[in-house]
Amino acid sequence: MKKIKAVIFDMDGVLLDTESVCEVCWKKAAVEYNKEKDVEMMFHECVGRTRADTIKTLAKYFDGDQKKSESFRLRTGEIFEEIEKSEGLQKMPFVTDCLDLLKKAGFRFAVASSTRGEKVHPQLTNAQIHDYFEKIITGDMVSQSKPAPEIYITAAESLGVSVEECVAIEDSPNGVRSATAAGIKCIMVPDMIQPDDEMKEKSWKIFSNLKETADFLIKGQTE
């Protein structure tokens, strides 16, 4: 097994507490679109997907109506922006501790987020963690979103390391599927969705927070 040189982080639900905000937004929009019964399933299916794939997924719940799917997605985005402007976004627990510990241990960092770059860069900047990352790969930079492996393969290539030399940190099933399909060992740190049997099988390790993740990687680095 090659030595791990780089850690590739998902953003939403791993670095920033955006997914709990998103869920609130989806539930509010669902009331307006009369989708209260379906919203939990809709949300879980779309976590970790790009805008285009989200619209395709939502179409299943809107009788194939792409325009209504896009309208719903846009409405959730409007509500999200309102909350972000009024309350801001919080970092997930132990984010800065994790980044500082791993950086000191010599790991390199990238982000692989399905969110568009126009959102990712300011959100990471506002959270004061943008400069930790050498490379930031976003959903608009790839043709296929998670669970396809493209974004993780691109992130590894951008750092100039092999997939065997990377570890991914993900919170969602689509993210875990993406990383493992790319041949990258994936640590799951669950946020909104708890791991099922599939996730337990695909994940290299499962930890409850980023501090435990950092401690594990640093221990492996020194053994």
Side-chain angles (χ1 to χ4, degrees), residues 44-175:
H44 284 182
E45 281 193 50
C46 291
V47 168
R49 294 185 182 269
T50 63
R51 178 173 63 179
D53 279 356
T54 295
I55 294 168
K56 290 179 184 178
T57 303
L58 286 173
K60 296 188 300 182
Y61 297 92
F62 288 99
D63 299 321
D65 191 330
Q66 296 279 329
K67 288 186 177 179
K68 189 165 285 187
S69 302
E70 169 68 351
S71 174
F72 178 86
R73 191 203 65 81
L74 287 172
R75 181 61 185 138
T76 65
E78 290 171 353
I79 298 170
F80 186 95
E81 288 182 4
E82 293 168 5
I83 295 174
E84 184 177 5
K85 286 179 181 177
S86 63
E87 302 176 19
L89 298 176
Q90 301 298 313
K91 291 192 287 288
M92 294 297 287
F94 304 110
V95 165
T96 305
D97 291 338
C98 174
L99 293 171
D100 284 338
L101 287 167
L102 292 177
K103 184 176 182 180
K104 186 177 180 181
F107 290 96
R108 300 170 63 195
F109 301 144
V111 168
S113 172
S114 294
T115 303
R116 294 175 63 81
E118 64 189 19
K119 295 285 188 182
V120 171
H121 290 282
Q123 287 177 353
L124 291 175
T125 298
N126 290 339
Q128 298 182 321
I129 56 175
H130 189 285
D131 291 347
Y132 280 96
F133 303 100
E134 288 183 48
K135 301 293 181 180
I136 297 175
I137 310 301
T138 56
D140 48 324
M141 295 171 66
V142 294
S143 59
Q144 293 182 300
S145 73
K146 303 172 186 179
E150 182 184 359
I151 195 165
Y152 273 104
I153 293 171
T154 302
E157 289 176 346
S158 74
L159 290 171
V161 297
S162 68
V163 292
E164 293 85 3
E165 295 171 315
C166 299
V167 63
I169 302 180
E170 276 283 358
D171 69 301
S172 71
N174 283 331

Side-chain angles (χ1 to χ4, degrees), residues 168-185:
I169 302 180
E170 276 283 358
D171 69 301
S172 71
N174 283 331
V176 173
R177 294 179 187 120
S178 174
T180 55
I184 295 176
K185 292 185 287 291

Side-chain angles (χ1 to χ4, degrees), residues 34-45:
N34 196 30
K35 290 293 177 182
E36 296 99 318
K37 292 182 180 179
D38 296 325
V39 66
E40 185 173 342
M41 186 69 73
M42 290 162 61
F43 178 73
H44 284 182
E45 281 193 50

